[in-house]
């Protein structure tokens, strides 16, 4: 394990890091069936340690199971698959369960409750890329992200000003019941990003925790993501560490800019758990990193100009996709998760360019952009067109593959194939600059961050 500055031998964080660096080599991401098989086998092997309980059922009939291990009295909750295109957490959940069964010290004084996959339906639509090859072109061509209202993470009840959401899915309801029953001291919602560096969200400021999160990434040789924040509505607690995104903050920010306020989804699992005093954490980790991700040196470009240019480019990409979707929409099946996702995301994303233009008008026009920002802004556009262009193409080609598609669907299909091929070719030119991060290191960071959160919360309570 690489030496980490300012972490003395024998300190709790050093012990956590030693545990995290024992994650074995991993060469793929587990799908729904493998997650269940591994955790069920663990429960069968250790019936005296593991309590297995079905907590719900997915909309398409998959059981959702929770595995509880440890002595208590504290309750901790970890759940994976809240965004089913983010599978690093599947291994993190499995590894924590295995380590708890193997290590009585880890089980002492805390009972971990682990949900290996909270959204089986969405996960199955991503399994086409879980075995690799691990490049952006293959990943995005098999990518699926549910519509905002169908994401477990963002479908908790929400009422604020003119916003109201109560379309709680069965998967979300299962998680709500568990949170209300356990009232956990900590909750770890397992997410990941795509390209860049490591960043984190936490619901409370904890003494020394920002520095610990930095040390965890550094111990695996991973850069922090110091570029453009995921949303300008969040408050920064330290470099690459933010206060948890909230539906209320997003609403207030949109209202302040004078753009339409969010109305298609609800609140987060962290906001819901907060009613019980739960401290929640998200560790966002990339599959790939780039030398610019943490480069804070200045460029010759203006940050405001880069924002404007990125907004114009994104607007053009989205308008092209929306035109194709409008042409194809009458011939696409309403019961497709992919179609529902595109139908929800395109109107939402089409608001973003205007939001970014208004933000560009507010910033210091002369402030130079950093290298990280100059890379991150156009790469966010690249991410959107690869992800959602891939979903749109999958939806159209899936309809054609059924063998009953109208002849009118073929022209937009040809146009989308050609457009998406251009975007794939452009993304492929970046491959040589990217480093694919070993899966075990990504799991190690998530695992260490979860244990460090519990330790930090206990320090605050002492």
């Amino acid at each position: 394990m690489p030496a980490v500055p300012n972490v003395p031998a024998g300190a709790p964080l050093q012990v956590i890091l030693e545990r995290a660096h024992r994650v074995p080599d991993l060469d793929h991401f587990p799908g729904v069936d493998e997650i269940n098989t591994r955790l069920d086998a663990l429960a069968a092997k250790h019936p005296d340690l593991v309590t297995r309980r079905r907590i719900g059922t997915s909309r398409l009939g998959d059981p959702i199971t929770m595995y509880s291990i440890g002595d208590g009295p504290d309750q901790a909750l970890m759940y994976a698959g809240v965004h089913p295109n983010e599978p690093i957490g599947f291994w993190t959940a499995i590894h924590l369960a295995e380590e708890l069964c193997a290590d009585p010290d880890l089980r002492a004084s805390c009972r971990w409750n682990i949900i290996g996959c909270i959204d089986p339906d969405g996960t199955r639509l991503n399994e086409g890329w879980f075995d690799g090859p691990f490049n952006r072109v293959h990943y995005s061509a098999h990518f699926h992200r549910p519509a905002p209202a169908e994401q477990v993470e963002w479908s908790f009840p929400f009422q604020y000003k003119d916003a109201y959401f109560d379309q709680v899915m069965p998967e979300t309801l299962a998680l709500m019941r568990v949170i209300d029953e356990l009232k956990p001291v900590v909750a770890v919602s397992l997410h990941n990003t795509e390209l860049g560096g490591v960043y984190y969200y936490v619901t409370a400021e904890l003494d020394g925790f920002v520095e610990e999160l930095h040390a965890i990434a550094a111990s695996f040789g991973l850069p922090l993501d110091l570029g453009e924040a995921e949303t300008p509505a969040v408050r920064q607690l330290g470099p690459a560490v933010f206060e948890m995104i909230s539906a209320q903050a997003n609403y207030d920010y949109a209202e302040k800019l004078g753009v339409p306020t969010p109305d298609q989804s609800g609140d987060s699992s962290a906001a819901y758990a907060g009613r019980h005093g739960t401290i929640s954490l998200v560790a966002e980790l990339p599959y790939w990193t780039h030398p610019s991700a943490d480069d804070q040196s200045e460029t010759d470009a203006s940050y405001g100009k880069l924002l404007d240019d990125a907004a114009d480019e994104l607007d053009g990409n989205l308008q092209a996709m929306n035109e194709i979707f409008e042409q194809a929409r009458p011939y696409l099946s309403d019961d497709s998760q992919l179609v529902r996702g595109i139908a929800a995301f395109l109107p939402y994303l089409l608001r973003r360019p205007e939001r970014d233009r208004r933000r560009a008008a507010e910033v210091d026009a002369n402030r130079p952009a950093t290298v990280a920002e100059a890379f991150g802004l156009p790469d966010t556009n690249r991410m959107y067109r690869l992800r959602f262009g891939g979903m749109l193409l999958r939806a159209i080609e899936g309809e054609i593959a059924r063998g009953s598609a109208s002849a009118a669907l073929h022209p937009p299909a040809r146009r989308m194939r050609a457009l998406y091929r251009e975007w794939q070719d452009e993304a492929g030119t970046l491959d040589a600059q990217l480093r694919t991060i070993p899966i075990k290191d990504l799991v190690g960071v998530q695992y260490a961050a979860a244990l460090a959160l519990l330790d930090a919360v206990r320090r605050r309570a002492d």
Side-chain angles (χ1 to χ4, degrees), residues 310-326:
D312 290 344
E313 181 188 40
L314 180 61
D315 201 8
N317 294 162
L318 294 172
Q319 293 293 347
M321 277 192 281
N322 192 55
E323 184 177 321
I324 292 170
F325 181 61
E326 289 299 321

Side-chain angles (χ1 to χ4, degrees), residues 426-450:
E426 189 276 338
T429 64
L430 195 65
D431 280 351
Q433 302 173 37
L434 304 182
R435 178 171 79 89
T436 301
I437 302 171
I439 297 173
K440 69 181 181 65
D441 291 349
L442 301 172
V443 174
V445 171
Q446 268 191 343
Y447 176 62

Side-chain angles (χ1 to χ4, degrees), residues 103-126:
D103 189 340
D105 290 338
L106 197 59
R107 295 195 299 271
S109 76
C110 185
R111 186 165 179 81
W112 281 93
N113 302 273
I114 301 166
I115 303 171
C117 182
I118 192 68
D119 183 3
D121 301 349
T123 299
R124 292 190 187 278
L125 281 175
N126 279 284

Side-chain angles (χ1 to χ4, degrees), residues 85-86 125-126 128-129 138-146 194 287 338 345 383 386-388 390-392 394 420:
N85 59 287
E86 300 174 1
L125 281 175
N126 279 284
W129 67 268
H138 181 74
Y139 156 78
S140 57
H142 297 84
F143 172 94
H144 168 66
R145 190 173 180 92
E194 183 172 307
Y287 310 116
L338 291 163
F345 274 116
M383 176 192 72
L386 286 173
R387 283 183 171 193
F388 299 110
M391 283 178 61
L392 177 54
R394 283 181 73 188
Y420 195 61

Side-chain angles (χ1 to χ4, degrees), residues 380-401:
T380 297
N381 291 354
R382 183 179 291 115
M383 176 192 72
Y384 282 139
R385 69 192 185 199
L386 286 173
R387 283 183 171 193
F388 299 110
M391 283 178 61
L392 177 54
L393 186 57
R394 283 181 73 188
I396 292 172
E397 292 194 327
E399 193 71 31
I400 291 171

Side-chain angles (χ1 to χ4, degrees), residues 328-396:
R329 183 69 183 91
Y331 313 106
L332 299 177
S333 302
D334 289 334
D335 61 352
S336 165
Q337 292 183 68
L338 291 163
V339 174
R340 293 200 303 270
I342 290 296
F345 274 116
L346 278 177
Y348 169 76
L349 289 172
L350 281 163
R351 301 172 185 171
R352 182 176 174 121
E354 181 59 24
R355 186 200 75 179
D356 288 349
R357 290 187 188 103
R358 295 193 186 194
R359 187 154 62 95
E362 292 184 347
V363 302
D364 180 357
N366 298 315
R367 200 265 281 179
T370 65
V371 171
E373 289 168 340
F375 173 77
L377 281 167
D379 196 68
T380 297
N381 291 354
R382 183 179 291 115
M383 176 192 72
Y384 282 139
R385 69 192 185 199
L386 286 173
R387 283 183 171 193
F388 299 110
M391 283 178 61
L392 177 54
L393 186 57
R394 283 181 73 188
I396 292 172

Side-chain angles (χ1 to χ4, degrees), residues 15-268:
V15 174
I16 288 170
L17 291 174
E18 289 170 359
R19 292 181 186 277
H21 279 269
R22 294 200 292 264
V23 176
D25 286 333
L26 300 164
D27 62 2
H28 71 290
F29 293 108
V32 175
D33 295 333
E34 183 178 355
I35 296 164
N36 293 336
T37 297
R38 284 178 176 270
L39 291 173
D40 285 347
L42 198 65
K45 184 178 180 180
H46 301 282
D48 54 328
L49 299 178
V50 183
T51 300
R52 179 184 182 278
R53 175 160 61 108
R54 182 167 176 170
I55 59 169
T57 306
S58 78
R59 286 157 294 164
L60 295 180
D62 260 312
I64 301 172
T65 307
M66 184 171 74
Y67 303 81
S68 301
I69 313 166
D71 302 328
D74 288 340
Q75 300 280 352
L77 179 61
M78 175 181 282
Y79 39 100
V82 282
H83 286 149
N85 59 287
E86 300 174 1
I88 294 169
F90 297 145
W91 277 131
T92 304
I94 291 167
H95 184 71
L96 174 60
E98 291 173 344
E99 288 291 289
L100 285 165
C101 288
D103 189 340
D105 290 338
L106 197 59
R107 295 195 299 271
S109 76
C110 185
R111 186 165 179 81
W112 281 93
N113 302 273
I114 301 166
I115 303 171
C117 182
I118 192 68
D119 183 3
D121 301 349
T123 299
R124 292 190 187 278
L125 281 175
N126 279 284
E127 290 179 358
W129 67 268
F130 282 7
D131 290 323
F134 295 114
N135 59 63
R136 287 181 98 181
V137 169
H138 181 74
Y139 156 78
S140 57
H142 297 84
F143 172 94
H144 168 66
R145 190 173 180 92
E150 297 181 42
Q151 297 174 14
V152 175
E153 184 62 274
W154 289 105
S155 53
F156 285 76
F158 180 61
Q159 184 172 10
Y160 180 66
K161 296 184 177 178
D162 291 333
Y164 185 85
F165 182 88
D166 63 359
Q167 300 172 39
V168 177
M169 304 183 299
E171 299 89 338
T172 309
L173 184 60
L175 187 53
M176 288 171 61
R177 287 194 298 258
V178 165
I179 290 170
D180 288 337
E181 172 195 331
L182 298 175
K183 300 177 177 60
V185 294
V186 299
V188 182
S189 181
L190 294 167
H191 289 253
N192 62 258
T193 184
E194 183 172 307
L195 187 154
V198 180
Y199 59 103
Y200 305 90
Y201 295 103
V202 64
T203 55
E205 294 189 65
L206 303 167
D207 288 345
F209 191 48
V210 167
E211 294 74 18
E212 290 177 339
L213 292 174
H214 291 170
I216 289 168
S219 79
F220 286 90
L222 300 184
L224 298 174
D225 196 316
L226 302 178
E228 184 77 357
E230 191 172 359
T231 169
V234 296
R235 183 170 70 96
Q236 191 166 18
L237 304 180
V241 182
F242 304 91
E243 190 173 62
M244 192 72 73
I245 297 175
S246 76
Q248 181 174 322
N250 283 338
Y251 185 105
D252 286 341
Y253 185 77
E255 188 177 52
K256 175 186 171 185
L257 286 183
V259 298
T261 51
D263 60 359
Q264 294 188 17
S265 58
D267 219 337
S268 68

